[in-house]
Amino acid sequence: MLTLHYAPDNASLVIRLALGAAGVPHATQLVDRAAGAQHGAAYRRINPAGRIPALATPDGPVFETAAILLWLAERHAGLAPAAQARGRGAWLSWLLFTANTLHADLRALFYPALYAPDGAQAAHHALTTRRIARHLALLDAHAPLAPAAPGALEFYLVCCLRWCALYPAGGTGWFDLAATPRLEALARSLDDHPAARAAARAEGLGPAPFSAPAPATPPEGSAT
Ligand SMILES: N[C@@H](CCC(=O)N[C@@H](CS)C(=O)NCC(=O)O)C(=O)O
């Protein structure tokens, strides 16, 4: 049995969607962010980096969103092109771009105190959002997207779009989903995916979690 260590509307949402879409049986374990449990000794035994998500597996814990997605895709069909499939290289490129570049800059946007000194936060926000808008434009132009048969890349991207629209509270005016029409179509399409509906119920994500997101109202835990 796999156990997803999660907090509502955190990066663990990407993994919940992938597990749901691939029909992988799993349990979930809340990481209590309000109590800073991600930094506690018990959670650091699962993920020494103290970040959410982590997936407990018979092979030991796996952490980092992209690593978990690839680990799952190696074991369950439908999440990624097969190792020898045409387009596998492009798919890997854009998955890793999403993780290493887009998601990394989202972290910089959401945790400004870790990235910019006091007094420089407005400039940091402006520069970071400019970079993120460029990343999204590149993804919109080039990423191999399959809205009708979504896999790891599509689920990762729609979560990133959701977070751009919601976080940080009061600092989302820069974001315009309509500026990236392929990503917008993907978000609209995945709003109604069965795995998204199940995740929305579990984490309180509302009726259009990707194309018109509202702040999470989770039945347990908190997003921040
Ligand atoms: N590179 C990590 C980033 C994960 C990440 O930033 N998780 C956030 C929640 S969305 C987190 O753990 N935040 C709490 C913290 O950093 O204290 C990954 O891909 O898993």
Side-chain angles (χ1 to χ4, degrees), residues 110-190:
F110 301 156
Y111 301 90
L114 299 178
Y115 291 84
D118 289 348
Q121 305 226 337
H124 168 76
H125 185 275
L127 278 173
T128 308
T129 53
R130 206 176 306 159
R131 282 199 308 275
I132 293 170
R134 278 200 297 268
H135 305 331
L136 293 175
L138 281 176
L139 284 153
D140 195 62
H142 301 288
L145 302 176
L153 176 60
E154 287 81 2
F155 290 122
Y156 204 166
L157 284 174
V158 292
C159 290
C160 291
L161 296 173
R162 174 180 169 83
W163 302 326
C164 286
L166 291 178
Y167 306 106
T172 59
W174 66 276
F175 179 61
D176 176 15
L177 182 57
T180 52
R182 285 178 73 230
L183 297 181
E184 182 179 30
L186 179 70
R188 285 190 197 287
S189 164
L190 265 60

Side-chain angles (χ1 to χ4, degrees), residues 10-11 33 38-39 50-53 64-65 103 107 111 156:
N10 278 220
R33 284 202 52 169
Q38 73 273 23
H39 302 303
R51 291 181 188 168
I52 302 161
E64 286 294 316
T65 304
H103 194 179
R107 250 194 90 80
Y111 301 90
Y156 204 166

